Amino acid sequence: MTDTSLSSTLQAKITARTAKAGVVGLGYVGLPLAMAFARAGFSVTGFDIDPSKIEFIDRRESYIEAVPTEMLQVECEAGRFAATCDFNLLAECDIIAICVPTPLTAHRDPDLSYVAKTAEAIAKTLRRGQLIVLESTTYPGTTDEVVKPILERTGLKSGSDFFLGYSPEREDPGNRQFHTASIPKVVAGDGEAAAALMQAFYGATVETIVPVSTTATAEAVKLTENIFRAVNIALVNELKLVYDAMGIDVWEVIDAAKSKPFGYMPFYPGPGLGGHCIPIDPFYLTWKSREFETPTRFIELAGEINTAMPHHIVTRLAEALDIRSGKALSRSKVLLIGLAYKKNVPDIRESPSLRLMELIERRGGSVSYFDPYVSEIPSTREYAELKGRRSIEWDEVALKSFDAVVIATDHDNVDYDAISRCAPLIVDTRNIFARKGISSDVIVKA
């Protein structure tokens, strides 16, 4: 069978919804994507190395907020979705999407081990006519330079025996306005046949597709989106420090500036960056740029500013305890409000709250946390020593026992009035009290 007939066959199966899809990695990106494929009418198998995720799915229970349990149950009961740890079943899939983590090493270099291991697992059962898609965020060139060579070591060739594409994920945990199928999807293929298959498959799954010319271009799109946010957040974080020294409230400045109906977009300061994308993705480009001897000073400076924010918050906390309470941080009990990296979600990936806990304890302070979405700290790569710590039970009497309360995440379902009444000192990194019209002499903005 020629490459043309192979692609035509897969095109026909996509159109008829008889193509079988596989999703490797059933986390915050993979499980919602698998649901989008299934709801579009495709038969989907999810793959993960974590048996607990498979057990949840077998019980028809969702562990991802973006996928309601009811939705999962419907797709499982209809026979459109199932999950497994058996990667040999990849052979049955016509289309395979790779949605695995792309973290940084201890030296802030890209760690593509999950992508490489997944590609190697796919290669073991790779057959002619399959479409392999990388969705994990990474530097431009990964699909062509890392995934493609691993798959081609089988003797099969991209564009003639199998097809290869890239489509960056655009998940936003906690966003009620958009879901996987309603967010425009950037797609690209390795060659014309792969590009056509990418457009056909994702066009059958999401409302809008945005084709681009190469997989490297699609990879660059994702990085550009996140670098844009990282740089602008770094800007307002730096402005916060400058304006604070001048006695100017940066949040008041931003609120007034955003009244301009053109040429301005509001970004807000905080205790640091969280989530998988923004704290990590810019460093993928800075690493890759070294190959071309092209400096990325602007991006690296933004990274330095954002990385330093937890240190700034802890310094402000120590100063406030000293000036207002006459107490050293090393002898203080501190309560962090919010462990998640953003409000109203249970996602703690790269959360600055974890870094704040570490820094406060390094200085001898005692730290507890309250988060209505995170009852216990799970295992993390960088903060293994925090695993198993549990959120305190909400108790106004208990609030009074802490020397300071730090608002790290501004969840909506927290009683800020109670905090303002009970806490002897509040360090507000999110401006939540001003936004709620709560004023108190014990509140310090940071």
Side-chain angles (χ1 to χ4, degrees):
M1 189 179 288
T2 65
D3 60 330
T4 302
S5 57
L6 284 172
S7 62
S8 297
T9 299
L10 185 50
Q11 280 263 13
K13 294 177 75 172
I14 291 170
T15 301
R17 301 295 196 276
T18 58
K20 294 183 178 180
V23 176
V24 182
L26 297 175
Y28 286 93
V29 174
L31 188 59
L33 184 68
M35 288 297 99
F37 291 160
R39 298 183 80 191
F42 294 100
S43 174
V44 185
T45 302
F47 298 84
D48 205 287
I49 60 174
D50 182 357
S52 67
K53 290 191 176 80
I54 310 306
E55 290 169 4
F56 267 102
I57 292 168
D58 286 345
R59 294 196 304 267
R60 309 294 195 259
E61 295 178 22
S62 177
Y63 47 89
I64 300 292
E65 185 184 33
V67 177
T69 290
E70 295 77 13
M71 179 190 297
L72 181 68
Q73 289 173 345
V74 167
E75 300 310 318
C76 290
E77 295 301 328
R80 287 188 294 265
F81 180 65
T84 182
C85 289
D86 185 359
F87 281 67
N88 289 320
L89 297 179
L90 287 167
E92 299 178 4
C93 299
D94 300 297
I95 301 151
I96 302 170
I98 302 171
C99 304
V100 296
T102 47
L104 296 171
T105 68
H107 300 290
R108 306 198 76 78
D109 289 336
D111 177 2
L112 293 180
S113 60
Y114 296 94
V115 171
K117 289 176 182 176
T118 301
E120 289 165 359
I122 293 170
K124 291 178 181 178
T125 59
L126 185 67
R127 58 176 171 78
R128 300 186 76 220
Q130 285 182 308
L131 170 64
I132 313 300
V133 184
L134 180 61
E135 288 238 356
S136 304
T137 304
T138 185
Y139 60 80
T142 301
T143 304
D144 191 57
E145 298 167 9
V146 177
V147 178
K148 184 176 176 178
I150 292 173
L151 298 179
E152 289 191 333
R153 283 205 294 265
T154 62
L156 301 178
K157 297 299 178 184
S158 174
S160 57
D161 298 310
F162 67 91
F163 306 97
L164 184 61
Y166 183 82
S167 180
E169 58 89 3
R170 279 177 163 172
E171 289 296 321
D172 185 17
N175 191 322
R176 301 291 191 273
Q177 185 176 358
F178 297 100
H179 53 85
T180 303
S182 67
I183 301 170
K185 201 84 167 74
V186 175
V187 297
D190 180 29
E192 292 183 7
L197 289 170
M198 290 289 290
Q199 293 177 43
F201 180 59
Y202 282 95
T205 302
V206 302
E207 295 174 9
T208 306
I209 59 168
V210 183
V212 295
S213 58
T214 66
T215 56
T217 301
E219 290 159 341
V221 168
K222 176 61 175 177
L223 290 187
T224 300
E225 293 168 1
N226 290 331
I227 289 168
F228 172 79
R229 294 186 65 193
V231 167
N232 279 280
I233 292 170
L235 174 62
V236 294
N237 276 331
E238 188 166 64
L239 288 174
K240 177 175 70 173
L241 303 182
V242 174
Y243 290 153
D244 183 60
M246 296 179 178
I248 298 170
D249 187 333
V250 69
W251 281 279
E252 184 181 0
V253 171
I254 294 170
D255 284 343
K258 72 180 184 182
S259 66
K260 184 180 180 182
F262 52 87
Y264 182 80
M265 179 183 295
F267 287 83
Y268 297 94
L273 292 183
H276 169 68
C277 293
I278 302 177
I280 293 175
D281 296 351
F283 293 102
Y284 270 67
L285 186 60
T286 60
W287 179 85
K288 185 64 175 178
S289 70
R290 297 173 202 157
E291 178 183 332
F292 300 91
E293 299 182 352
T294 303
T296 53
R297 291 187 292 270
F298 206 68
I299 299 171
E300 291 179 33
L301 177 59
E304 291 173 13
I305 293 170
N306 290 327
T307 301
M309 291 314 296
H311 292 272
H312 166 72
I313 300 302
V314 172
T315 297
R316 288 283 284 159
L317 169 63
E319 290 173 349
L321 281 165
D322 180 33
I323 295 170
R324 294 173 179 252
S325 307
K327 196 167 188 179
L329 177 57
S330 61
R331 294 184 291 108
S332 298
K333 289 176 59 182
V334 179
L335 176 65
L336 283 182
I337 300 294
L339 197 72
Y341 83 89
K342 65 184 291 190
K343 69 178 185 178
N344 304 335
V345 301
D347 193 343
I348 69 164
R349 290 176 297 172
E350 305 297 325
S351 174
S353 294
L354 299 172
R355 181 64 168 152
L356 288 172
M357 293 181 76
E358 180 183 66
L359 292 174
I360 292 169
E361 293 189 340
R362 279 185 185 176
R363 295 183 61 163
S366 171
V367 188
S368 300
Y369 83 92
F370 171 74
D371 193 309
Y373 295 92
V374 185
S375 60
E376 181 176 327
I377 301 179
S379 177
T380 59
R381 296 185 191 94
E382 295 185 3
Y383 302 99
E385 71 282 0
L386 299 179
K387 179 183 178 182
R389 293 200 190 183
R390 299 188 63 82
S391 171
I392 69 164
E393 296 294 327
W394 183 258
D395 186 316
E396 292 190 18
V397 175
L399 283 174
K400 297 178 181 179
S401 70
F402 291 94
D403 298 296
V405 173
V406 177
I407 309 299
T409 314
D410 52 338
H411 292 307
D412 288 336
N413 57 346
V414 170
D415 190 343
Y416 295 100
D417 283 308
I419 295 174
S420 68
R421 291 194 310 269
C422 301
L425 175 65
I426 301 167
V427 177
D428 185 0
T429 74
R430 300 287 187 176
N431 199 41
I432 184 63
F433 290 95
R435 285 191 278 122
K436 287 185 169 292
I438 301 172
S439 60
S440 172
D441 291 338
V442 304
I443 298 172
V444 176
K445 292 186 179 183

